[in-house]
Amino acid sequence: MLSPNALMQLEERFGAHNYKPLDVVLTRGQGIWVWDVAGRRYMDCLAAYSAVNQGHCHPRILAAMMDQAKRLTLTSRAFRNDQLGLMYQEICELTRSHKMLPMNSGAEAVETVIKAVRKWGYTVKGVPPDRAEIIVCANNFHGRTITIVGFSTDPVSREGFGPFTPGFRIVPFGDAAALEAAVTPHTVGFLVEPIQGEAGVIIPPDGYLRQAREICRRHDIVLILDEIQTGLGRTGKLLAEEHEGIEADLTLVGKALSGGFYPVSAVLSNQAVMDVLRPGEHGSTFGGNPLACAVARAAVRVLVDEGMVENAAAMGAYFLAELRGIRHPAIKEVRGRGLMIGMELVPEAGGARAFCERLMTHGLLCKETHEHTIRFAPPLVITRPDIDWALERIAKVFENR
Ligand SMILES: *Cc1c(COP(=O)(O)O)cnc(C)c1O
């Protein structure tokens, strides 16, 4: 067996350096816990950016995956399979959607809606050819393709990667008046995260999504919510849109759609937008494959059956309140909804990374988001004693400053 150092050196030597991970080499996971190759146990407070909401290696999802893997894994969409229709039905019924289009990564789901709303704009709304505009928000995170990074406002994500896809307008997040002012007769869609995760857990003002819903309705614009991170229980509701009692026209889900077993994403559609896509116009070799469908069906079922959404609401409220009780001059603000929590540090604290490294030595794996924010987003199966365990260690890290 190679030592942790040898394994890290292999990554550095042979791997592209497009990530800067914490120096912990993990080998096993169960529920909220992960173990490194030396046998040390850590609480996972990132949950793979909310892809393992159901907890690591959830036994029911594992069983569904193993069972399906023995029978049939991939047909391509040239043929039908006996899992796809059932996944459509179960997920559409649960999310009150009319239609579903399965892809693999989140970025592919975003690319899919961009294509669909553009085509809807030309064929239904009557926008002149090649003039469609989609409004997005400053500090967004929607993925890493050329088109998506082209409408990012983060210089690290974009610089050096142009030229980019035209047809996007950027407005400040949380500002309904700015959204309305950016609307033109060519606007076909508004793409927004209900809570900006990668930007540092930024929660918009109350009523923002309701106002956006109304503006989109009034101007005949497709409201697209990117719930790839906020969806599937993370914020204490199945979808974050429920906090404002609205329904998007198109909703993107990914990450926890597979409970972390396998890349599965989807576009959920509440109106006729999806019908503009005709055979041959869009697709993916692996999208909607029977293994992905069986995994997604199980992943969504356990979220509901095991009360994980309600648990996220209850445990999130407790965790947030207790974190706010930690008083330290380095802490600027603690904010969150459900188990999507950000602790923003003051700029003088020297960055969140150093705190994440110290938390790691105390047995908590967290990831900084942007410079100054520590994210706390454990799997949704976390219990109150687990949170108390974490709080003790978080408090210690601040005491020892
Ligand atoms: C992670 C994420 C994506 C991209 O998903 P990938 O699977 O990494 O392509 C898109 N939008 C949001 C809000 C995300 O958090």
Side-chain angles (χ1 to χ4, degrees), residues 20-227:
K20 188 170 176 282
L22 289 177
D23 283 336
V24 57
V25 183
L26 301 173
T27 186
R28 188 162 72 85
Q30 191 190 353
I32 62 166
W33 302 102
V34 288
W35 284 262
D36 71 11
V37 287
R40 273 201 72 188
R41 187 182 78 153
Y42 304 84
M43 184 184 289
D44 181 359
C45 283
L46 181 65
Y49 300 89
S50 297
V52 283
N53 284 359
Q54 297 88 338
H56 288 276
C57 299
H58 192 290
R60 286 175 64 190
I61 311 174
L62 176 65
M65 184 168 187
M66 305 256 282
D67 184 49
Q68 186 62 41
K70 286 181 210 155
R71 279 191 291 136
L72 184 67
T73 56
L74 182 62
T75 56
S76 85
R77 297 286 304 279
F79 312 120
R80 299 180 189 265
N81 72 69
D82 65 2
Q83 293 295 309
L84 183 61
L86 293 168
M87 178 186 73
Y88 283 161
Q89 181 184 27
E90 289 165 11
I91 293 176
C92 284
E93 283 178 0
L94 184 66
T95 59
R96 288 175 303 155
S97 308
H98 300 142
K99 296 263 180 194
M100 177 171 181
L101 192 159
M103 296 294 283
N104 312 287
S105 69
E108 286 175 314
V110 175
E111 291 276 346
T112 301
V113 290
I114 293 169
K115 287 174 72 175
V117 295
R118 282 180 167 187
K119 183 136 192 251
W120 172 86
Y122 302 130
T123 58
V124 178
K125 187 169 178 176
V127 172
D130 291 346
R131 301 289 298 277
E133 290 171 358
I134 295 171
I135 302 174
V136 300
C137 287
N139 302 314
N140 67 71
F141 182 82
H142 297 292
R144 298 294 196 170
T145 65
I146 286 292
T147 292
I148 295 170
V149 300
F151 59 74
S152 168
T153 57
D154 172 24
V156 178
S157 299
R158 335 170 6 103
E159 270 171 22
F161 301 121
F164 297 119
T165 312
F168 298 92
R169 276 174 173 249
I170 299 169
V171 297
F173 180 64
D175 183 342
L179 167 63
E180 184 139 37
V183 171
T184 76
H186 299 156
T187 307
V188 295
F190 174 48
L191 168 63
V192 64
E193 300 155 83
I195 295 172
Q196 288 187 325
E198 295 315 296
V201 188
I202 310 297
I203 302 171
D206 274 347
Y208 175 61
L209 293 181
R210 262 196 313 277
Q211 288 172 297
R213 174 65 282 179
E214 177 49 30
I215 291 165
C216 288
R217 187 169 289 131
R218 199 148 18 86
H219 294 279
D220 198 17
I221 296 166
V222 179
L223 175 61
I224 309 157
L225 289 185
D226 181 344
E227 297 238 25

Side-chain angles (χ1 to χ4, degrees), residues 244-298:
E244 296 223 344
I246 63 152
E247 281 189 19
D249 299 307
L250 297 175
T251 300
L252 308 178
V253 288
K255 294 204 164 107
L257 187 51
S258 71
F261 279 83
Y262 192 91
V264 189
S265 67
V267 179
L268 305 173
S269 180
N270 271 336
Q271 62 161 46
V273 177
M274 202 66 86
D275 289 339
V276 303
L277 294 177
R278 312 302 315 163
E281 292 178 349
H282 189 62
S284 159
T285 303
F286 279 81
N289 74 69
L291 185 58
C293 293
V295 167
R297 291 177 66 199

